[in-house]
Amino acid sequence: MKVIIVSDTHIPKKAKVLPNRLLQELEEADCIIHAGDWQAKEVFHELQQYGKLYGVSGNVDGEDIKQLMPEKQVVEANGWKIGIVHGHGDKKTTEKRAVEAFNEHVDIIVFGHSHLPVLKFTGKTMLFNPGSVTDKRKLPYYSFGKLILDDEIHAEHVFFKN
């Protein structure tokens, strides 16, 4: 199962459209995860055209997105439990807030907010932040994530110039 992970799209503030590099990968996706800060409902509708869409709302999302997406959720994909949260809040790091958002065991925690790509483990749980496809901040490249979920997890970031 191929899962494409995005976060912090911030459309139309940081870009008018989703980048072509992401759209190419979406063509072959079994499902998509968006970890918040969509900023426009149009992003939801566009991603939905590519397949099953899971996501959460972020700190810059308005009521229109908050009505569509919860603040956090746990989904199952091909036998793997994935916790999704944006990761914003006060005190602590974004990663710490993401980990503390889930009381139950999950195999993967997908989060956003920082725009910084992360792939590491805390105990037996993978932490994955895809970065941003529209707002790389001080990083050299834009990024999104790709998970292949089978008997094992293959996770990677896709880095690209816009």
Side-chain angles (χ1 to χ4, degrees):
M1 170 179 247
K2 181 178 178 180
V3 182
I4 298 299
I5 302 174
V6 296
S7 187
D8 298 283
T9 46
H10 293 283
I11 290 177
K13 186 177 178 184
K14 295 295 180 181
K16 301 298 181 214
V17 296
L18 293 170
N20 286 331
R21 181 64 184 96
L22 172 65
L23 298 179
Q24 291 169 357
E25 289 289 341
L26 289 172
E27 291 288 342
E28 299 174 5
D30 294 304
C31 73
I32 302 123
I33 294 174
H34 193 299
D37 280 2
W38 312 66
Q39 209 155 353
K41 197 172 179 180
E42 291 75 21
V43 176
F44 171 84
H45 293 301
E46 184 174 0
L47 291 176
Q48 207 175 31
Q49 294 176 32
Y50 290 94
K52 184 67 179 161
L53 175 62
Y54 302 102
V56 295
S57 59
N59 58 301
V60 303
D61 291 323
E63 284 304 313
D64 56 343
I65 299 294
K66 290 178 182 176
Q67 289 176 6
L68 291 170
M69 294 287 143
E71 286 187 17
K72 69 176 182 176
Q73 70 170 308
V74 175
V75 299
E76 188 172 314
N78 211 24
W80 298 94
K81 288 180 77 172
I82 304 171
I84 311 165
V85 67
H86 187 59
H88 62 286
D90 295 326
K91 303 178 182 173
K92 301 184 182 176
T93 65
T94 302
E95 287 178 29
K96 187 80 166 160
R97 288 189 298 266
V99 169
E100 290 180 357
F102 299 96
N103 295 327
E104 64 185 286
H105 168 74
V106 291
D107 300 299
I108 306 164
I109 295 175
V110 171
F111 66 101
H113 188 59
S114 68
H115 299 216
L116 300 173
V118 172
L119 172 53
K120 68 184 200 179
F121 282 83
T122 179
K124 294 182 179 182
T125 302
M126 177 185 289
L127 300 180
F128 195 93
N129 184 327
S132 176
V133 293
T134 60
D135 187 10
K136 61 185 174 66
R137 297 199 173 156
K138 294 181 181 182
L139 298 176
Y141 305 107
Y142 300 92
S143 63
F144 62 93
K146 186 171 21 173
L147 293 177
I148 305 298
L149 302 175
D150 209 345
D151 292 338
E152 56 188 37
I153 301 170
H154 173 81
E156 67 181 74
H157 288 97
V158 177
F159 296 97
F160 64 98
K161 294 179 181 180
N162 211 358

